[in-house]
Each structure stands twice: as structure tokens, then as C-alpha cells.
Amino acid sequence: MDLNFNKNEDHNRLLLSELKQKLAKVKLGGGEKRIAKLHSEGKMTARERIDYLLDNDENAIEIGAFVGEGMYKEHGGCPSGGVVVKIGYIQGKQCVVVANDATVKAGAWFPITAKKNLRAQEIAMENRLPIIYLVDSAGVYLPMQDEIFPDKEHFGRIFRNNAMMSSMGITQIAAVMGSCVAGGAYLPIMSDEALIVDKTGSIFLAGSYLVKAAIGETIDNETLGGATTHCKISGVTDFKAKDDKDALDRIKSIVGKIGDYDKAGFNRIKSEKPALNPEDIFGILPKSRAEQYDMMEIIKRLVDNSEFDEYKAGYGQTIITGYARIDGWAVGIVANQRLIAKTTGAKTKPSEMQFGGVIYSDSADKATRFIANCNQKKIPLVFVHDVTGFMVGSKSEHGGIIKDGAKMVNAVANSVVPKFTVVVGNSYGAGNYAMCGKAYDPRLIFAWPSAELAVMGGAQAAKVLMQIEAASLKAKGEEVDAQKEQELFDKIKARYDEQVSPYYAASRLWTDAIINPLETRTWISMGIEAANHAPIERQFNLGVIQV
């Protein structure tokens, strides 16, 4: 191994260490004191409930662990958005599990909480997966009600999705394990089956204090909406559990009896480990996001037997396309190639050079054709990002880069096979769109700790913004010398660098997770297994495109 490999490895392992430390903090939710308080009430935490429910928590993936990171500081923060979401197995059946974290503002819903819950439901709907709700929530966080209550993608969309999933035949099971109030009371009752835990679970449209204020009736919460009331008097719930574990055991029993599903029929054979060591990824991926490296070396450490059948290898070389297997599943891979041989010679013009990580007309054309082929063959697509955008300049514009880029975007948007997106490095500008960014409905989108997502890189953006700000100051009659320009640049770049961080993206659910690169195969495999629950119901059609 060379010195550069070792430097890269040290850098990337430090990023991984930071990721693990941040995850450990996030998993404490509202903190150890609130966890202890929950235990004193005879309740399990959201994560403990999920761990107990799943067959094996190690064979599960978490969606949105960093949601809310750095947000709502004036309200005390909202770790993981106040809700834990995992895809795992219950009695051998793949399910989505959603659990309110009562250690975070009593499980109240912040705006980002609603977005995360809707993402969980979207995954269940796209993949026809059973979804389990473990309810323990004080309802909408009232100081921010205007940002969560009335709009299309706000709180009410949850119940609309409950109804839609019911009509689609997707199993929904809810266990009320704590508070379940106001509009939130509809969620468990719009599920197929609802359980409630005795003494700790309660369901009502208005609690005892509000009832007293509204109609003058004096009543305690247990009599108003406790387990006995709803299992013996109202008939709102179907099962009464003595404690959390009893409720979770009942869910296991219900899920264990669900019948088999119609499969999409994606191709899978026996899984094989990569022939090349996946640990090498840490040394191959460069410390600097501007450095070149061979993406093929990354791919070979992700795919079975390190075997990759490259499509149009000699054409459009800034994008790699080809067929492989991941954990036995057949996949089509579209990846940005960062290693491009530099054109040499005195007569070479900048417009004639090839830059790694940039999408050119020929590479966009190749990717479009390959995406169409995968749709024709019913092969799931995996997009691997390290893209700085589309090529600019007169040669590219005159050659129709916009037209060729639009064809690629069209193919990505209209794909009917499931798509999965892995952001390993840069994901800038329209390159993010063409490589199946969040706006293009990947079944799962996740990032490595080395990822950066933005309109453009920090240095480039800071230069542009600095020039604009400097011009504005000069227009006001202020003198802007080289030192002042550098100060402006440093200030702007620091702010922009924070926004390109993978944690900034993950906190807003632009990506589903930040993961250890060695977990990439697991995420893609579980994603394709989930997608296999949902047969493809429409034909691939590019519609009208400029040829």
C-alpha cells in the first residue's frame, strides 16, 4: 500500500469514527434521565421496543437516524425527529416499524417528525411492506403547529396514507403504548388492528383537562380513554396487553400469520462476497473531494465475486455502466468515474480535456441507453454518486449537452424498476438529479460519511458569492481590498461547508441515512428484497424526448 492510500484510510476511518459517535449520541434520544423516567413508569424506550419486536436488530436498517440534527435548537432539539424508523424482520417477514420516542418532548410531533413518518409510510406503500406503529405521543408540538398542521405534506397526510394503504391491502398494525391524543388518535384506529397497553396506553380526542374546560365534565384520563374503556366499552381497540412486551408479543403473533406476497420477480442467486477486500474502500476513496480515483475499484469491492460486466466500456467514460450482483441480486450500476486520463500536448485546449466526475453528452447518452435496457430486463438500478455536474462551455453547449442531459433525466424519472442511490462523494447540481437524487424517487437513498450534497462545491460557491457580495459593497462606496475579499470568502465558505455536510442533508431527510461504507451491500440487498414485494404495474416509457 502506498502512502496516499494510508492517508486516505486514516481520514475515512476518522469520518467513520465520527459517524459512530454521533449515532451513539442520537440513540440516547432525549437523554439518560428521561430514559430512566420512562423505565420507572414500566415502559420500554422506542428503540427497546423495536429491538424486542424484530427477529434480529442487527439484520435491520434505520431510516432517518440523523433527522432533526442541529434543528429546533430554540426548542431544545429533536433527536431523530422524535421517532425511530427501522426496516427489519418480524417472524421472518420484512416490515417497517415506526416508534414514537417519548423521551423527546413526550413524543410530540415537530414538522420534521411528520416528514419522517410520511417517509416511513412512503417506503411501506412503494414496497407493499407491512407497517407497525408503536404509538407513544403527546400529539402536535403546539409552539410550531402552523408548520405541521394544515398543509398537504403535514400531519393530516398520515391519516390519508393510512386510508390509502388499507385500500391497497398493506397490513397496518398499531400498538398504543403511551399517549395517543387528538388527531393522532385516528392513526391506530385507521390501522387494521389496534392494541393498547393497560394503565400506560390511552386514546382520546381530548384529555381530561380539555374536557373539563370544554364541557365542564370531570373525569380522569384512564376512565376517559384507557385500555379497559376502549376494549370493553367503546370497542375502539382490539386487544388489551398487560405491558409493553405482551403487546409486542401479540404483534409478533399477528405478523407471523400474514400470508405470502406476490413477487416482482427480480433475479437472485446464491450470494457471494466480493473477491477484493471491501475494507480497501477506506484507502481508495481520497481525502480531498477534488482528487481523482478509479470508481471501478470501489464497485469491485461492493459486488459479488468482484465481477462486473461493463456496458459500453470505451464510450462516455465519465460514467460507468454495467451489470453485477449484490448479495445475489442482479443489479444495473450507473456510477460516476473520477479517473480520467489527462489529454496532453501543447495544442490541447481546456474545452478538449476530460474531467472526472463530470457528465458529458456521450456519458449521458450511454447512461440513458443503459437505464432503458435495465427497465427492459427488469433489473433494479443502483446509482453511485461522485458527480460535480454536467460539462459546461461552448463546445458542450453547441454539442447539445442540455438535450442529452434531459434524456438521461427523463430515463431516470420514468424508470419503473426500483432505484437505489448511494452518495459516496460529491453530488452537485443537476448531476444530483441525473444520478437519481431524492427528487427522482429512489426506493432508498443513503450517503457515506465522505458525501457532499449541494448546488456546487464549497470553494466554487464561495467564490461566486464573494464576488457578488464584494460588488455590492463596492457599489455602496466601500473599499474592498484583497484582505477583505479573503475574509468574505472564508466567512461564506464556512457557512456553505456546513450546508454541504452529509449530516445537514440527513437532518432534513434529503438522504435516508449516513452509513458505514461496509454496510452498502446490506442496504441495497434489503432494499431490493423490499421492492420485490411490489410487482411492477406499468411499462417503461420515455415519452417525448429531443433526439
Side-chain angles (χ1 to χ4, degrees):
M1 300 295 176
D2 61 22
L3 181 61
N4 197 46
F5 183 99
N6 292 335
K7 287 181 178 178
N8 291 339
E9 185 174 36
D10 289 344
H11 172 74
N12 287 310
R13 288 197 181 279
L14 280 173
L15 292 180
L16 180 58
S17 176
E18 180 187 9
L19 170 63
K20 290 178 178 178
Q21 289 172 19
K22 285 179 176 287
L23 277 172
K25 184 179 179 182
V26 157
K27 288 179 180 179
L28 290 174
E32 293 178 349
K33 288 184 179 179
R34 290 179 184 173
I35 291 173
K37 183 176 184 294
L38 213 61
H39 287 163
S40 71
E41 296 169 354
K43 296 164 70 174
M44 303 165 74
T45 67
R47 292 183 179 278
E48 289 167 346
R49 287 166 176 167
I50 293 177
D51 289 353
Y52 184 84
L53 185 59
L54 295 179
D55 297 344
N56 181 354
D57 186 56
E58 292 181 1
N59 194 18
I61 57 177
E62 182 172 353
I63 303 297
F66 290 110
V67 161
E69 175 89 355
M71 299 172 68
Y72 312 122
K73 291 179 181 178
E74 68 276 22
H75 298 280
C78 188
S80 278
V83 62
V84 182
V85 176
K86 289 192 179 184
I87 303 173
Y89 300 88
I90 302 172
Q91 299 293 289
K93 290 183 171 61
Q94 200 174 35
C95 301
V96 179
V97 185
V98 181
N100 300 116
D101 187 348
T103 70
V104 179
K105 290 287 190 296
W109 288 57
F110 284 71
I112 201 68
T113 313
K115 186 174 183 179
K116 185 171 175 179
N117 275 268
L118 289 169
R119 176 61 178 145
Q121 289 185 319
E122 180 183 41
I123 290 170
M125 294 168 79
E126 283 183 329
N127 299 293
R128 306 293 196 272
L129 290 179
I131 184 167
I132 317 298
Y133 308 101
L134 307 180
V135 184
D136 194 346
S137 171
V140 167
Y141 183 61
L142 291 177
M144 302 187 75
Q145 63 84 28
D146 61 319
E147 296 181 44
I148 187 175
F149 170 65
D151 210 345
K152 181 178 178 180
E153 298 297 329
H154 283 179
F155 193 58
R157 189 76 170 184
I158 304 289
F159 316 126
R160 175 263 189 192
N161 286 351
N162 287 144
M164 294 291 291
M165 282 190 278
S166 183
S167 71
M168 294 165 69
I170 298 170
T171 298
Q172 300 177 83
I173 302 168
V176 179
M177 311 179 85
S179 297
C180 183
V181 300
Y186 289 107
L187 185 147
I189 313 312
M190 293 185 75
S191 300
D192 301 335
E193 296 184 77
L195 302 79
I196 186 168
V197 178
D198 195 21
K199 299 297 186 283
T200 57
S202 59
I203 309 173
F204 32 66
L205 294 180
S208 56
Y209 291 123
L210 185 52
V211 168
K212 177 71 173 177
I215 64 173
E217 181 183 3
T218 301
I219 189 170
D220 64 272
N221 282 339
E222 183 65 23
T223 306
L224 180 65
T228 299
T229 295
H230 286 309
C231 287
K232 288 191 174 182
I233 300 173
S234 72
V236 164
T237 50
D238 305 311
F239 302 101
K240 181 166 76 169
K242 63 182 181 181
D243 55 25
D244 281 8
K245 287 186 177 180
D246 187 37
L248 298 169
D249 285 336
R250 174 76 72 168
I251 293 173
K252 291 180 185 181
S253 179
I254 294 169
V255 173
K257 295 176 179 66
I258 296 174
D260 203 0
Y261 57 91
D262 295 331
K263 296 175 177 63
F266 302 121
N267 184 285
R268 191 183 199 186
I269 61 174
K270 184 185 176 204
S271 174
E272 300 286 350
K273 292 181 179 180
L276 299 176
N277 186 1
E279 298 270 356
D280 292 344
I281 287 171
F282 296 109
I284 295 168
L285 196 66
K287 177 179 178 179
S288 168
R289 295 279 16 96
E291 277 186 42
Q292 290 194 2
Y293 66 96
D294 190 352
M295 179 63 83
M296 189 67 78
E297 294 302 317
I298 299 287
I299 292 171
K300 287 179 179 179
R301 286 159 176 82
L302 295 176
V303 300
D304 291 15
N305 278 327
S306 299
E307 293 175 351
F308 184 73
D309 300 326
E310 191 170 2
Y311 173 84
K312 289 185 180 289
Y315 179 69
Q317 294 183 45
T318 62
I319 283 185
I320 297 171
T321 53
Y323 305 102
R325 290 189 182 274
I326 293 178
D327 196 25
W329 294 103
V331 296
I333 295 176
V334 180
N336 304 114
Q337 175 59 293
R338 292 299 305 270
L339 184 65
I340 300 296
K342 293 183 178 178
T343 307
T344 58
K347 295 182 179 179
T348 302
K349 299 176 183 177
S351 62
E352 294 173 345
M353 295 178 68
Q354 289 271 296
F355 298 92
V358 178
I359 302 175
Y360 291 78
S361 285
D362 55 356
S363 48
D365 178 68
K366 175 173 80 171
T368 301
R369 178 65 181 266
F370 180 72
I371 291 166
N373 278 344
C374 287
N375 276 272
Q376 181 83 356
K377 298 178 178 72
K378 204 159 76 171
I379 299 173
L381 284 159
V382 176
F383 293 84
V384 185
H385 284 218
D386 198 342
V387 59
T388 52
F390 284 88
M391 190 57 190
V392 297
S394 61
K395 183 178 179 181
S396 292
E397 298 293 0
H398 297 170
I401 185 67
I402 296 174
K403 177 183 65 178
D404 291 318
K407 286 192 287 187
M408 183 176 173
V409 168
N410 194 317
V412 172
N414 283 298
S415 284
V416 297
V417 295
K419 299 166 291 192
F420 302 90
T421 299
V422 190
V423 185
V424 307
N426 304 323
S427 186
Y428 297 157
N432 172 278
Y433 300 158
M435 291 293 292
C436 196
K438 183 67 180 287
Y440 290 81
D441 299 322
R443 296 294 176 97
L444 293 172
I445 175 170
F446 48 95
W448 291 358
S450 49
E452 292 186 356
L453 290 85
V455 172
M456 64 179 73
Q460 298 94 318
K463 285 178 184 177
V464 173
L465 292 169
M466 181 270 290
Q467 289 168 5
I468 293 171
E469 194 161 336
S472 175
L473 291 172
K474 288 176 182 177
K476 294 176 183 177
E478 294 186 34
E479 186 176 334
V480 180
D481 57 16
Q483 183 180 345
K484 180 68 174 178
E485 285 189 349
Q486 186 62 46
E487 288 173 0
L488 286 171
F489 175 83
D490 292 341
K491 180 182 176 181
I492 294 167
K493 188 175 184 300
R495 184 175 70 241
Y496 202 88
D497 284 346
E498 179 187 353
Q499 294 177 358
V500 304
S501 160
Y503 295 98
Y504 191 91
S507 72
R508 289 150 180 80
L509 211 52
W510 301 342
T511 61
D512 291 318
I514 304 171
I515 70 164
N516 181 341
L518 303 182
E519 296 172 355
T520 303
R521 283 168 54 84
T522 298
W523 272 73
I524 293 171
S525 178
M526 286 192 69
I528 298 175
E529 182 181 347
N532 206 34
H533 287 70
I536 297 171
E537 296 173 348
R538 62 185 179 90
Q539 295 293 315
F540 175 64
N541 187 339
L542 281 178
V544 177
I545 59 172
Q546 296 283 347
V547 295

